[in-house]
Structure formats: structure tokens, C-alpha cells
Amino acid sequence: MDLLTNNLAETLVVLGLALLAIEILVLGFSTFVLFFVGVAAVFSGFLMYLGLIPESMLNAMLSVGIFTAIVAFFAWKPLRNMQNDVETKRADGDLVGHRFRLTEDVSESVNPIYRYSGIDWKLTSAEEIKSGTEVEVTQTDVGVFHVKAR
């Protein structure tokens, strides 16, 4: 414990960098709390290292808390906007484009089961498709193949 308190500025910088690494690499920047505390700890550590803040545990906790609030106040809205700016395009998996012949009729109201890759998939289509027709998977949802006639 003496090693940490005797080198409080360096400890804060290392702790802040560790929190930033956890937030970005492990959590994928999904929460901002560790980011705010990490930036505040690094900033407080640098200010202590420069001698602008006296090195004590009380000053370290106060400065990290105050800088966390300041960073959160100024960075919350831009980071939240960045997080909400997502692409709404559906990801096409490797199942899209799969072709097969129907053994039963398919429509919006008639949804037979098709077994593929060990999973029972419910088939659905916007148009009525007769059995024996070759179809292609155009979209997948959880347990559902959306198909169209080829």
C-alpha cells in the first residue's frame, strides 16, 4: 500500500489508463462511466505529477470526483449522439441466398417448417408459392426464413 500512496500520481495515471482500456477494449465503449473516471484519473495524476495538486489520498479522490463530473458534463451529449448514430441496414448472413425446393405450399398465412442445418425454420412469403417451386431465402429472422420464388 505504501508503494501506491508514495507514487500516487503514477498510480492514478496507471489506474486511469487501465479503466480506459477496460472500457474501450472489453466493454466496447458501451458504458461511459469507466471512460469518465479513467480520463479524470489520468488528468488528476498528471496534475499531481506537475505539482499543481498536492499528493494525498483525499486530494486524489476529490480531484478524480470533480474531474469525472466535469468530463461527464461536457462529453455526455456528444458521446451519446455518437452511440445513437448507428446504421440500420440489416446484416445479410450466409443463409441469405440459400436455395431449395418447397415440399409444401407457402404464403403469409401458411408457414410450413423447413429443416436446414439441424434447425427447424418456419417459412414465410409475401406471395403464395406452390410446393415443388425452387425458392431462395431473401431474409432471415429468428427461426424464420423469408423466401421468394426463383
Side-chain angles (χ1 to χ4, degrees):
M1 189 69 175
D2 285 337
L3 180 66
L4 297 178
T5 56
N6 289 341
N7 302 310
L8 191 55
E10 292 84 359
T11 302
L12 281 175
V13 171
V14 169
L15 178 67
L17 292 175
L19 290 174
L20 289 172
I22 291 169
E23 174 66 39
I24 294 168
L25 299 175
V26 176
L27 299 177
F29 216 54
S30 61
T31 66
F32 300 134
V33 176
L34 293 181
F35 176 75
F36 297 148
V37 175
V39 168
V42 169
F43 192 63
S44 296
F46 279 130
L47 290 179
M48 281 187 180
Y49 185 76
L50 295 174
L52 298 174
I53 298 175
E55 286 193 39
S56 73
M57 287 298 283
L58 179 62
N59 287 337
M61 288 188 288
L62 283 173
S63 64
V64 168
I66 291 169
F67 289 135
T68 298
I70 291 170
V71 170
F73 179 77
F74 287 108
W76 178 263
K77 191 160 185 137
L79 289 174
R80 194 67 173 154
N81 290 339
M82 180 187 73
Q83 194 177 43
N84 287 336
D85 186 26
V86 294
E87 193 172 316
T88 57
K89 180 181 174 268
R90 293 183 60 93
D92 289 336
D94 56 342
L95 298 174
V96 173
H98 172 65
R99 296 179 185 172
F100 60 95
R101 291 213 177 272
L102 292 177
T103 57
E104 300 178 46
D105 293 348
V106 177
S107 67
E108 286 187 82
S109 59
V110 179
N111 306 104
I113 301 297
Y114 172 70
R115 187 158 185 84
Y116 180 70
S117 189
I119 299 172
D120 289 335
W121 297 88
K122 185 168 72 167
L123 301 178
T124 187
S125 176
E127 58 193 38
E128 187 173 330
I129 305 173
K130 298 291 183 191
S131 64
T133 306
E134 183 180 9
V135 294
E136 181 178 356
V137 177
T138 58
Q139 177 183 332
T140 59
D141 288 327
V142 178
V144 179
F145 276 165
H146 297 267
V147 296
K148 70 173 184 176
R150 286 280 313 147

